[in-house]
Amino acid sequence: MSTQFEIRGLKATIEDKEILKGIDLKINGGEVHAIMGPNGTGKSTLASALMGHPKYEVTEGEVELNGEDVLEMAVDERARAGMFLAMQYPSEITGVTNADFLRSAINARRGEGNEISLIKFVRQMESKMKQLEMNPEFMHRYLNEGFSGGEKKRNEILQMMLLEPKLVILDEIDSGLDIDALRIVAEGVNAMRAEDRSFLIITHYQRLLNYIKPDFVHVMMQGRIVKSGGPELAQRLEAEGYDWVKEELGIVDETVGQA
Ligand code: ADP
Ligand code: MG
């Protein structure tokens, strides 16, 4: 079955402050959707709320992946159902090597009795790391500890490649990447595009979308998707910024003095 992901009327709060004010979004299998928007509009909140981060409370709405109720699932169940988030700020975990972490994540996804063999795992990890032009020593380093911004982002993409998720959410995967790293990361993502895999790409800048071509572009402001279109929308945002969207829709900045 081709992947179907749908968000309906999603509202979420953090520390009792409403950040998401009713998000609607439908993603079919094989599609790449981009969400763009100014800083502080709730893009990362959306990503975290979808993955079930405990800090965010969903107060209203529905999320379905292939007909299953995502909001009913625990965090690990969401991962097992095929959801994956490459975080804007990946956490560092001392004492757990990258290889250990990845193998546990893969096995959690595959389920008991179906664990990946060590040889197969190492072979896959080596080949994907090569593809991402990562130094093999990163396999044995503690997860993200002392990794540069770009190395963390590559490592997120490595996880994605090994986990083969159905729904991939990339939160500002382009931030902190130089142009070569950006190209490598984008090639990794493009190689994963498939009929039964969907992507939600969150980005502040259009640049990434020169490398990963979205089918749909959505503009998020103040906790809502206020405009949707094709790739041309991203190009206009790049050229003209976000002010024209605000003017067109009569959106007034909530915070005085904020750019
Ligand atoms: P974006 O990713 O679009 O830049 P975020 O989702 O990170 O936006 O943030 C949306 C709003 O939620 C901002 O006003 C931010 O200050 C607030 N926010 C995000 N995380 C927290 C937090 N942990 N505690 C309090 N407020 C938060
Ligand atoms: Mg963010």
Side-chain angles (χ1 to χ4, degrees), residues 43-44 88-89 171-172 202:
K43 302 184 300 298
S44 294
Q88 182 171 6
Y89 303 108
D171 191 3
E172 307 241 354
I202 295 168

